[in-house]
Amino acid sequence: MHPEDPTTASFTPTKEIAPEPKIDPHHLGAHITETGVAFSVYAHQATAVELCLVTPDSDNNYRENRYRLRGPENGIWHGHIPGIRPGQIYGYRAYGPWNPDAGLFYNPQKILLDPYAKAITGTPHLGPRLYAHQVNDDLRPATHELKPDPLDSLPDAALGVVVNTNAFPVNDRPHTPWRNTVIYEAHVKGFTRTLPGIPPELQGTYAGLAHPVAIQYLRDLGVTAIELLPIHAKFTEPFLQQRGAVNYWGYSTLSYFAPEPSYATERAQSLGPQAVLDEVRGMVSLLHLAGIEVILDVVYNHTAEGGLHGTTLSLRGLDPQRYYVWNHGCPNQMVDYTGCGNSMDFTSTQVVGLMLDSLRYWAGEVGIDGFRFDLGVTLGRNRDQYAVRHPSFVGMATDPILAGCKLIAEPWDIGPNGWQTGNFPTPFADWNDRYRDAIRGFWLTDGSAQMHGRHAHGPHELATRISGSADLFASIVPELDRGPGSSINFVCAHDGFTLADLVSYNHKHNEANGENNRDGSDNNHSWNHEYEGHVLRGRQYSNDPKVVEQVVQVAPLRLRNLRNMWGTLAISAGTPMVLAGDEFGNTQNGNNNAYCVDSPLSWLDWNWLPWQNALHETARYLLQLRAKHPVMRPDCFASGTPVQGDKLADLSWYDRDGIPLTPGAWHDPRNRVMQMLRSGTRWNDVDLLVMINGTMDQVEINPPVARSRVFNLMWDSSWPNPTTRSEESPDSLGVSGYDIDLADSLAPTGTEGDSASGGGLAAEVGLVPGAGVDLTGPATELPVTVRGMTSKMSAMSMRIFFAEIPDSPCEDSQIDLLNVLGKLRNRA
């Protein structure tokens, strides 16, 4: 029993020794046996470790029974307590030297969370009790020389709870191949917090994510895997708590085994930790049943305990020298490769084992399909050097449970040699920041440069990224030769601008974070299109003609560039990842680092305007098109030559006149109009032609010579909505009745007089109004293109075509065109 006065008598090791465990003590954590529970914990430098079985009473006080564990055996303390079952609350008290100069902070006044606890009682309560050393009211060291704190931390600490980790079976994994994978990065709370159709009691919870409304939305969009921001139990950094903020994203891990309880429903939280774990496993099971994989963002690079003067919650009190990286030359200084105060030491077998055990638990017992490793370079460090054959990676690659999971690296940290994109071994995939910057650069920063008379870039970087980034993911080193699927292609992620903000802001606006806009990156590769802020979130309804004119001048190109980036992602070799909400233009009002904002700013806003509905249809259409056509998602690198049995090169690039690009053209900033032709033979699919105009001018373009002279237009980024296939209009922008020309001139330049006009072709093939194929407009609006028929493309736009093979191919391109148009008429 602990009185209200927080000062307690100093603990001394109890004489009651726990019975010998009946299982191998190397199985760390709490394990239920037939007669009780076996406990094992690693604390190599401790002189004694006690298991504390805790029972709360009605007055919120605690009764604590302590058992001295046996050991150490290879640093492990262990024991078996008969008669206890799931639901038991427990922690550890570790005895040992107090020597801050050597990085040792043993203080048995601090009850410690089991690093292997599968569930926790809740979040620790920040205060002086959580510090092993004495602190003042500001939680800073009270003395220059750190002194042990006499306060018992039990009332404020998070404790472990014994739970049944297999209360019910989880549905089998979907095992979606990489080539078919589309990843959707989302926050458990933010995704469903205001999603219509989700019952209020389920919004923002694990159960809400598994609700049929949420699942149907993901399936309709074309998502095959949802990548969740961290759901490991977290503890918000003290500096945030002191100003009333939270670590909303969750990159401040308290436990690598226990799920974050605050994302569970209130009912589950009231029922206790077992119900919280069951809700997580139930979520995974229902997503599996719908064919959706679950990938967890995991943070093994650092913990919530902070730097040298941080809290003592778990690892710091058990064996800080084995778990964290310290300066060998100055053993009381922690080395920080992460920017978060501490770094886990992956030269320690104990740290590698902790990570592997955690991964196996989440994959094997919770049913998780894959993991995205935050600051993944830290996991492969031999201190200052990164090692591609690090034991961490070898362990994952050879583990029978983990080798079949999707393993994704964030391939950088802030330490020496910290950028390693492309240098993770098989079976890892990497977040491709080169892809992100190339797509943003081509469509946005280069667009801005042209607008202001500065030089833009040529097509080399864009073409390399669209083609799968062979410079990063192809290698003569076997473990680095991974194929294009290992490139996680993304334009936006949780840290950075949303897609809509990317085209609306030149500068970050992070005032809501409370750090005077100092946090967050300044390297955004964004373009506000000459107006800082959004114009289609209310300004279009203004009664001021000048305001409406501004909307009309800015919005069309912004929206087109949103669609350009979606189109580029859809035709790129690699695995696409989209940020939740980017499919409908979600905004964070220019905040590119909303890590500590838990409010509508960081939740998805499901109140869509008309243009957002149209953008959603565009994203949905492009993902469905990609799913149906393997030629849009090649699973091997192209050689630029025909594959066996094909007459067409697997991949070729052309200029605006349909002439192959010369070596000098790749880096020529004047060459921003290009065409990509990808053969579909390898996949028994159609051939793919992509036209790209990266200039601020309308251009004439002529398709290249190909297997088929006729290509069916599948998508044009100038269309606000692929279901209507019309240009931007006052109605699509919500400014109906405003008399202004929104579109570039689309007048055609046919090569053979009237035969290139819609009316002549319509008459020749016998099309009539209502046939479903509109040939009454100019030739550039035809649903096909052929070699020799030059058409005009809008500034900063792209088009996707599929090859159409005429029923009776001949040498006359005009006859072939008419043949295909007749087929389209019959389909309609």
Side-chain angles (χ1 to χ4, degrees), residues 635-655:
D635 52 1
C636 57
F637 291 118
S639 65
T641 60
V643 298
Q644 187 174 6
D646 196 1
K647 296 181 180 179
L648 187 68
D650 53 6
L651 182 67
S652 48
W653 292 85
Y654 304 87
D655 65 14

Side-chain angles (χ1 to χ4, degrees), residues 447-639:
S448 175
Q450 293 176 85
M451 179 71 77
H452 294 94
R454 300 191 301 269
H455 282 299
H457 295 87
H460 174 265
E461 184 70 4
L462 179 73
T464 301
R465 303 306 148 216
I466 288 175
S467 302
S469 298
D471 58 330
L472 299 174
F473 297 100
S475 176
I476 59 173
V477 180
E479 55 261 58
L480 297 180
D481 188 27
R482 292 179 281 163
S486 293
S487 172
I488 304 297
N489 296 337
F490 68 104
V491 181
C492 297
H494 65 275
D495 50 349
F497 282 142
T498 68
L499 197 65
D501 288 353
L502 202 61
V503 301
S504 303
Y505 295 93
N506 280 353
H507 309 287
K508 66 188 181 186
H509 295 267
N510 296 355
E511 291 80 9
N513 298 359
E515 299 178 31
N516 297 317
N517 208 35
R518 293 189 303 267
D519 64 302
S521 175
D522 294 310
N523 184 31
N524 295 299
H525 299 285
S526 62
W527 179 29
N528 67 6
H529 295 76
E530 310 311 307
Y531 177 82
E532 187 78 355
H534 291 283
V535 298
L536 288 180
R537 299 180 191 272
R539 289 178 63 86
Q540 70 268 38
Y541 305 124
S542 172
N543 293 322
D544 187 343
K546 291 184 179 180
V547 172
V548 178
E549 184 173 1
Q550 184 182 61
V551 170
V552 172
Q553 290 175 343
V554 171
L557 188 54
R558 276 189 180 178
L559 294 175
R560 194 182 308 156
N561 270 332
L562 285 176
R563 296 189 292 265
N564 285 333
M565 290 184 283
W566 265 104
T568 306
L569 189 67
I571 56 94
S572 295
T575 302
M577 183 189 79
V578 299
L579 174 64
D582 278 353
E583 70 275 16
F584 59 81
N586 189 63
T587 180
Q588 293 180 166
N589 296 330
N591 193 319
N592 73 353
N593 190 39
Y595 79 104
C596 59
V597 181
D598 184 3
S599 76
L601 177 74
S602 52
W603 307 336
L604 297 193
D605 182 357
W606 297 94
N607 296 308
W608 296 354
L609 295 166
W611 68 268
Q612 292 179 281
N613 282 292
L615 181 60
H616 177 263
E617 284 301 310
T618 295
R620 182 170 172 266
Y621 173 80
L622 288 169
L623 291 179
Q624 289 177 347
L625 202 64
R626 178 183 172 94
K628 292 177 182 177
H629 290 278
V631 71
M632 293 181 67
R633 43 185 172 86
D635 52 1
C636 57
F637 291 118
S639 65

Side-chain angles (χ1 to χ4, degrees), residues 118-363:
K118 306 301 193 303
I120 62 172
T121 53
T123 301
H125 300 288
L126 181 64
R129 298 172 190 255
L130 296 186
Y131 292 81
H133 57 277
Q134 296 177 23
V135 297
N136 58 24
D137 291 341
D138 295 326
L139 304 182
R140 298 180 183 277
T143 57
H144 177 71
E145 181 179 345
L146 299 183
K147 295 182 178 179
D149 181 71
L151 305 180
D152 182 7
S153 68
L154 177 57
D156 290 343
L159 301 175
V161 182
V162 178
V163 289
N164 179 1
T165 59
N166 286 290
F168 54 86
V170 173
N171 283 309
D172 292 342
R173 295 191 182 100
H175 289 295
T176 306
W178 276 112
R179 64 181 177 274
N180 299 338
T181 297
V182 175
I183 299 173
Y184 189 81
E185 190 195 28
H187 189 285
V188 168
K189 182 176 183 178
F191 178 59
T192 66
R193 181 62 181 80
T194 64
L195 180 59
I198 304 289
E201 66 273 16
L202 302 185
Q203 289 181 328
T205 69
Y206 300 120
L209 184 57
H211 189 274
V213 169
I215 288 176
Q216 192 60 47
Y217 177 83
L218 296 172
R219 286 174 55 87
D220 287 347
L221 182 61
V223 169
T224 70
I226 187 165
E227 181 177 305
L228 298 177
L229 268 65
I231 67 168
H232 286 165
K234 64 181 179 177
F235 178 66
T236 292
E237 294 88 337
F239 80 91
L240 287 176
Q241 293 194 54
Q242 286 171 322
R243 66 170 192 246
V246 298
N247 191 319
Y248 170 69
W249 285 352
Y251 292 89
S252 187
T253 304
L254 172 66
S255 170
Y256 291 122
F257 289 81
E260 170 55 34
S262 67
Y263 299 152
T265 57
E266 290 186 5
R267 174 173 172 76
Q269 292 184 56
S270 67
L271 290 174
Q274 181 69 59
V276 172
L277 176 60
D278 290 346
E279 187 173 316
V280 174
R281 297 180 74 245
M283 172 194 72
V284 174
S285 189
L286 289 172
L287 287 165
H288 283 180
L289 193 63
I292 298 173
E293 295 181 311
V294 181
I295 298 171
L296 295 190
D297 198 332
V298 287
V299 190
Y300 295 106
N301 59 82
H302 76 281
T303 75
E305 291 187 310
L308 181 66
H309 298 152
T311 52
T312 296
L313 307 172
S314 181
L315 302 180
R316 186 195 301 272
L318 289 168
D319 204 330
Q321 287 288 328
R322 288 299 177 99
Y323 284 109
Y324 295 119
V325 182
W326 297 82
N327 186 334
H328 285 167
C330 190
N332 66 344
Q333 292 183 358
M334 304 186 82
V335 178
D336 185 5
Y337 301 127
T338 67
C340 301
N342 64 62
S343 303
M344 293 287 277
D345 185 359
F346 282 88
T347 66
S348 165
T349 56
Q350 197 57 39
V351 171
V352 174
L354 173 64
M355 179 191 68
L356 293 176
D357 289 343
S358 169
L359 292 171
R360 275 190 291 264
Y361 168 71
W362 284 95

